[in-house]
């Protein structure tokens, strides 16, 4: 991970596949400096070791990598009681039974033919809770509410809190990521519009914004659903920011394990390929396999038609469909009715996602009833 002077650039041949070439670049220095300065680098180093272990075991038992194992009611009870003994109720409720079962049922990275030991799952869950506490994830909703209600600080406010709220609002107000719709499996979709991202971002505010958005989507999932999907329209992205990219990786590995169902990025660009070719080697194998890069417009539309809840009817116009996301999330101007500096339609977005999740649950119940009746 410390080797230097290698940069990856992407080219796209006629068949739509991506080839990679290497050349020396000063930009490598920026990326490696970002890694060296981060105090939690060893966490991603452990992820890299886990990736190596997974790769070895996949070679030995390739059929085991997609296995899902049974978890007993007593084991689930043990996990729940352990959480309740160590964390506040609100944070415990964040970990649904469905999510705990999902984490516990996965193959063990050191031996993909067996289930994760319960002790390993408990350690993984504790790591998530510790990361959330250290990051201050539970406080982000308070910052959003502060930004929703106030444009300027008053005498009763903590000035640092207001500055953080204002920075969070500035990030959200770009409408560069938002939840809209579900997949056929009920996974909420976080849409990312990279062309709306700033070239010189406030990295702390961008990470706060991302974690806040992911938390919101998780809390609004249909019952029984434990993971989300990211679909990025990667047209004209800003230059890669090492600090943000590394912080995002930290969040996925330490804060949201087993939460990402998959990520689709299109169209493929050299900037996106450059970023991912630096980040993917640092990811656990199970996470790295969830990234899909689509270069061909026809493939993008076919993929979205297969994945989105209502098929072609849900494809947005920036991917050649008919749905206009800008009705809710325009490039300029927003519809939030708050009195403060947050103009992003957060509460409207949350309400729409909750309504979609309830509708999905109802349709699933009707479908299951039909199956039972026949």
């Amino acid at each position: 991970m410390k080797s230097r002077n290698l940069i990856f650039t992407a080219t796209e041949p006629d068949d739509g596949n991506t080839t990679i070439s290497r050349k020396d670049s000063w930009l490598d220095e920026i990326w490696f400096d970002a890694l060296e300065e981060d105090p939690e680098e060893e966490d991603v180093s452990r992820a890299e070791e886990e990736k190596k272990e997974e790769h070895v075991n996949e070679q030995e038992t390739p059929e085991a990598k997609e296995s899902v194992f049974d978890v007993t009611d007593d084991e689930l009870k043990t996990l729940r009681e352990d959480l309740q003994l160590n964390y506040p109720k609100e944070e415990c409720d964040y970990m649904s039974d469905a999510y705990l079962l999902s984490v516990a049922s996965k193959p063990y990275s050191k031996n993909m033919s067996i289930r994760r030991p319960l002790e390993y799952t408990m350690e993984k869950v504790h790591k998530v809770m510790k990361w959330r506490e250290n990051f201050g994830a539970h406080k982000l909703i308070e910052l959003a509410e502060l930004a929703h209600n106030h444009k300027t600080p008053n005498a009763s406010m903590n000035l640092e809190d207001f500055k953080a709220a204002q920075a969070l609002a500035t990030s959200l107000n770009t409408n560069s990521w938002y939840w809209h719709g579900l997949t056929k499996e009920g996974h909420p979709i976080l849409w990312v519009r990279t062309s709306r991202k700033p070239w010189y971002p406030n990295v702390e505010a961008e990470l706060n914004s991302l974690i806040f958005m992911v938390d919101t989507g998780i809390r609004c999932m249909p019952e029984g659903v434990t993971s989300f999907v990211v679909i990025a329209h990667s047209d004209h992205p800003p230059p890669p920011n090492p600090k943000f990219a590394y912080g995002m990786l930290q969040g996925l590995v330490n804060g949201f394990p087993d939460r990402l169902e998959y990520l689709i990025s299109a169209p493929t660009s050299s900037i996106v390929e450059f970023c991912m070719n630096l980040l993917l080697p640092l990811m656990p194998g199970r996470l790295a396999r969830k990234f899909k890069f689509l270069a061909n417009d026809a493939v993008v539309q076919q993929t979205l038609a297969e994945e989105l809840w209502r098929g072609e009817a849900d494809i947005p116009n920036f991917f050649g469909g008919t749905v206009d996301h800008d009705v809710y999330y325009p490039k300029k101007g927003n519809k939030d009715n708050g009195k403060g500096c947050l103009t992003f339609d957060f509460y409207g977005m949350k309400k729409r996602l909750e309504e979609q999740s309830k509708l999905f649950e109802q349709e699933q119940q009707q479908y299951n009833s039909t199956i039972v009746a026949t």
Side-chain angles (χ1 to χ4, degrees):
M1 191 167 67
K2 297 294 186 182
S3 62
R4 294 175 182 260
N5 299 325
L6 288 177
I7 180 174
F8 296 89
T9 58
T11 58
E12 295 176 10
D14 293 338
D15 62 2
N17 296 321
T18 301
T19 59
I20 305 297
S21 61
R22 297 180 178 182
K23 61 182 180 180
D24 294 343
S25 173
W26 60 270
L27 197 52
D28 260 10
E29 299 295 328
I30 299 177
W31 280 88
F32 284 104
D33 286 346
L35 299 184
E36 289 171 351
E37 292 171 11
D38 197 299
E40 296 185 359
E41 179 184 349
E42 68 174 271
D43 290 331
V44 177
S45 297
R46 286 197 294 271
E48 190 174 14
E49 291 302 314
E50 182 179 343
K51 176 182 174 69
K52 292 177 182 177
E53 291 168 353
E54 288 184 10
H55 177 72
V56 169
N57 285 287
E58 287 167 16
Q59 299 299 317
E60 296 171 354
T61 55
E63 75 285 352
K65 64 182 180 181
E66 298 298 336
S67 299
V68 176
F69 298 89
D70 291 333
V71 179
T72 68
D73 291 342
D74 286 343
E75 288 175 319
L76 176 60
K77 182 180 178 182
T78 298
L79 291 170
R80 176 60 60 192
E81 289 177 347
D82 181 62
L83 279 174
Q84 292 171 342
L85 283 172
N86 291 281
Y87 304 102
K89 183 180 184 304
E90 182 178 354
E91 285 295 288
C92 290
D93 291 344
Y94 176 81
M95 297 283 190
S96 67
D97 284 352
Y99 177 65
L100 293 177
L101 286 171
S102 173
V103 174
S105 66
K106 295 292 191 299
Y108 188 31
S109 61
K110 295 183 179 180
N111 183 352
M112 300 289 284
S113 66
I114 65 173
R115 196 196 75 185
R116 289 169 172 169
L118 194 64
E119 295 77 14
Y120 177 89
T121 297
M122 292 174 69
E123 179 183 349
K124 199 174 186 73
V125 171
H126 278 288
K127 186 176 180 180
V128 172
M129 301 300 270
K130 180 181 178 182
W131 181 90
R132 290 181 59 78
E133 181 180 355
N134 291 341
F135 190 90
H138 60 289
K139 296 181 179 179
L140 294 177
I141 185 61
E142 298 174 8
L143 295 181
E145 290 172 352
L146 187 61
H148 176 70
N149 292 312
H150 299 277
K151 285 186 177 180
T152 57
N154 58 44
S156 64
M157 289 182 194
N158 180 299
L159 186 57
E160 291 303 313
D161 285 348
F162 181 79
K163 288 180 179 178
Q166 195 172 40
L168 175 64
T170 298
S171 174
L172 292 172
N173 290 346
T174 62
N175 287 328
S176 54
W177 44 39
Y178 49 82
W179 294 101
H180 190 81
L182 309 170
T183 68
K184 285 182 169 60
E185 302 297 324
H187 305 290
I189 302 170
L190 181 66
W191 298 87
V192 181
R193 313 280 290 273
T194 60
S195 64
R196 297 180 177 184
K197 282 295 177 189
W199 275 45
Y200 303 103
N202 178 331
V203 174
E204 181 179 356
E206 287 291 306
L207 289 173
N208 282 346
S209 173
L210 176 60
I211 301 309
F212 175 60
M213 291 295 285
V214 173
D215 264 7
T216 300
I218 288 173
R219 294 183 188 278
C220 296
M221 287 177 176
E223 184 177 357
V225 176
T226 63
S227 56
F228 61 88
V229 165
V230 177
I231 302 179
H233 185 234
S234 305
D235 185 42
H236 298 99
N241 185 287
K243 288 288 188 182
F244 174 76
Y246 190 66
M248 177 186 67
L249 177 57
Q250 286 284 332
L252 281 173
V253 172
N254 298 324
F256 302 103
D258 302 313
R259 287 293 195 182
L260 178 65
E261 185 69 16
Y262 57 81
L263 179 149
I264 292 174
S265 176
T268 303
S269 69
S270 58
I271 291 177
V272 172
E273 290 290 344
F274 168 73
C275 292
M276 296 315 300
N277 277 283
L278 286 168
L279 291 176
L280 286 173
L282 302 178
M283 297 181 187
R286 186 177 289 109
L287 176 60
R289 288 192 297 271
K290 297 178 179 182
F291 286 74
K292 307 174 184 180
F293 302 95
L294 307 179
N296 185 291
D297 289 345
V299 174
V300 172
Q301 292 187 17
Q302 178 183 347
T303 300
L304 294 182
E306 293 171 352
E307 298 293 337
L308 301 183
W309 186 14
R310 306 303 187 192
E312 290 184 4
D314 277 351
I315 299 177
N317 52 14
F318 51 83
F319 277 131
T322 59
V323 179
D324 186 7
H325 287 189
D326 289 3
V327 170
Y328 301 111
Y329 312 105
K331 186 174 182 179
K332 293 183 179 180
N334 294 276
K335 300 176 65 175
D336 183 86
N337 294 319
K339 299 176 292 184
C341 55
L342 178 65
T343 59
F344 171 68
D345 189 22
F346 169 72
Y347 295 97
M349 177 198 72
K350 183 172 180 288
K351 180 181 179 181
R352 287 187 290 273
L353 185 57
E354 289 172 339
E355 291 172 347
Q356 291 165 339
S357 293
K358 289 296 182 185
L359 180 59
F360 181 85
E361 291 172 6
Q362 292 170 6
E363 291 191 6
Q364 288 297 108
Q365 291 171 0
Q366 292 173 359
Y367 174 78
N368 292 336
S369 299
T370 303
I371 294 297
V372 171
T374 57

